[in-house]
Amino acid sequence: MTAEIISGTEIRKEILAEIKQEVEEMKAKYGRGPGLVTILVGSSPASISYVTLKVKTALSVGFHEIQDDQPEDISEADLLALIDKYNNDPTIDGILVQLPLPKHIDDKKVLDAIHPDKDVDAFHPVNVGRLMIGGDAVRFLPCTPAGIQEMIVRSGTETSGAEVVVVGRSNIVGKPIAMMMAQKGIGANATVTIVHTRTKDLAGHCKRADILIVAAGVPDLVKPEWIKPGATVIDVGVNRVGMNEKTGKAILKGDVDFEKAKEIAGKITPVPGGVGPMTIAMLMKNTLTSAKKTLGAA
Ligand code: NAD
């Protein structure tokens, strides 16, 4: 039987519509909506395209959005002063600094300068610590893991008591999603295993998974025979495997052999159109959450 496809594109639409509705209500009740600033340093085409998409999405849900572009040669001190300005601006609920930054600027110093309560990317050590504590301590969840969890929940996959195997242990995907799935709460309460490059029997672990989350960055790493029949498979990998000569666009592939895996899995995310579209939606959700907390609405 062919698996149900969990479409990130469709779920993102639902989430953005829900956010837009809440923003309208917030504006009516409190006289303002969420405020987001995106800081872009320099003019890398990839960074410009990411920032443009974030700005467009923020405006589409009714946020107050400031795109603050800075020259490539801005000093670290001036960038830190700019962040401090937005940290102290009561109309701004979220601050995003597009990475990578030029070589003369220390990324970590800049990200750590963002006030944890406005750190909607959830990369600040305080937010990483809050995630670890769980429950009410959490203000924001990192966006890609939050998107993964949202897809699991909205696809109706049971997580309580489920065997979850996470392939990959990066700070932005593997480690946080593993911790989130193991916490108490909705879309969690799972028994989690993290596997990585030093794992002895990768296939054996994957075969046990009721929910298999793959974030390795290796095309077709997960073979169809590693998938437990009926499992939910979340493929986070985005690998450029060639170029479409007609469109000039990159051909993308996930970490799972999708065509064969969909004949075994119960539910599966495609690449593209799976986890990818969820990340920006969760960024918007974090900004809304921030505004609600500031306004005392949550
Ligand atoms: P990373 O390179 O930081 O981490 C990859 C992890 O996978 C490592 O912990 C490594 O131990 C593990 N790994 C690599 N090869 C392996 C193998 N052969 N066997 C077992 N484990 C292996 O990568 P990342 O930042 O976590 O990203 C992973 C993938 O997810 C990439 O393809 C990336 O493009 C994609 N990604 C997508 C989104 C999104 O869609 N929004 C966001 C972040 C990352």
Side-chain angles (χ1 to χ4, degrees):
M1 208 178 82
T2 303
E4 178 187 325
I5 308 298
I6 309 174
S7 165
T9 314
E10 289 304 314
I11 298 176
R12 174 179 63 179
K13 265 191 219 155
E14 283 170 29
I15 293 172
L16 292 179
E18 289 162 14
I19 294 174
K20 196 171 176 192
Q21 175 70 34
E22 280 202 60
V23 170
E24 278 166 21
E25 288 163 16
M26 181 181 279
K27 283 180 177 169
K29 191 162 177 198
Y30 297 97
R32 80 159 177 97
L36 178 68
V37 61
T38 44
I39 301 174
L40 169 66
V41 178
S43 54
S44 134
S47 293
I48 291 174
S49 99
Y50 289 132
V51 166
T52 306
L53 190 57
K54 287 171 190 172
V55 169
K56 218 174 111 189
T57 311
L59 292 173
S60 78
V61 291
F63 287 3
H64 161 55
E65 161 69 42
I66 299 173
Q67 183 178 347
D68 195 336
D69 292 349
Q70 295 295 324
E72 182 88 21
D73 62 355
I74 186 175
S75 70
E76 188 179 273
D78 284 351
L79 186 56
L80 291 172
L82 188 67
I83 289 171
D84 195 47
K85 181 183 101 172
Y86 289 120
N87 278 340
N88 291 298
D89 181 341
T91 68
I92 293 297
D93 304 290
I95 302 171
L96 286 178
V97 178
Q98 185 63 43
L99 296 179
L101 290 168
K103 286 203 173 64
H104 66 279
I105 298 176
D106 180 347
D107 288 13
K108 185 167 174 357
K109 209 165 168 184
V110 170
L111 295 183
D112 288 358
I114 297 171
H115 192 289
D117 290 351
K118 297 192 180 190
D119 166 43
V120 285
D121 265 330
F123 291 152
H124 193 287
V126 167
N127 285 318
V128 177
R130 287 169 171 169
L131 182 156
M132 187 83 171
I133 296 164
D136 291 344
V138 177
R139 188 169 176 108
F140 310 120
L141 293 169
C143 301
T144 300
I148 295 168
Q149 194 175 38
E150 193 79 31
M151 293 178 102
I152 292 171
V153 171
R154 291 194 189 221
S155 68
T157 301
E158 178 59 83
T159 59
S160 184
E163 290 282 343
V164 171
V165 174
V166 179
V167 184
R169 54 176 166 182
S170 71
N171 284 333
I172 63 164
V173 189
K175 276 195 268 181
I177 188 62
M179 185 49 61
M180 286 158 61
M181 298 303 296
Q183 298 282 16
K184 287 185 183 167
I186 296 166
N189 286 320
T191 304
V192 181
T193 305
I194 304 179
V195 296
H196 46 77
T197 41
R198 301 293 178 96
T199 297
K200 284 187 183 139
D201 181 10
L202 198 59
H205 286 288
C206 291
K207 281 178 189 170
R208 280 192 295 105
D210 300 312
I211 302 172
L212 181 60
I213 301 169
V214 193
V218 180
D220 290 348
L221 172 69
V222 171
K223 312 295 171 226
E225 60 274 19
W226 296 8
I227 295 167
K228 181 173 170 180
T232 293
V233 179
I234 309 288
D235 189 355
V236 191
V238 180
N239 305 293
R240 287 176 171 76
V241 292
M243 183 74 86
N244 182 321
E245 284 179 10
K246 277 191 196 151
T247 61
K249 285 188 178 167
I251 301 170
L252 302 179
K253 219 173 189 320
D255 290 351
V256 178
D257 182 346
F258 178 79
E259 285 308 320
K260 292 185 187 138
K262 76 177 183 354
E263 301 306 322
I264 301 164
K267 295 174 184 166
I268 189 167
T269 62
V271 178
V275 176
M278 295 295 293
T279 302
I280 289 188
M282 301 319 287
L283 193 56
M284 300 302 137
K285 199 164 178 183
N286 277 351
T287 309
L288 174 65
T289 301
S290 180
K292 278 189 194 163
K293 296 217 172 182
T294 303
L295 293 168

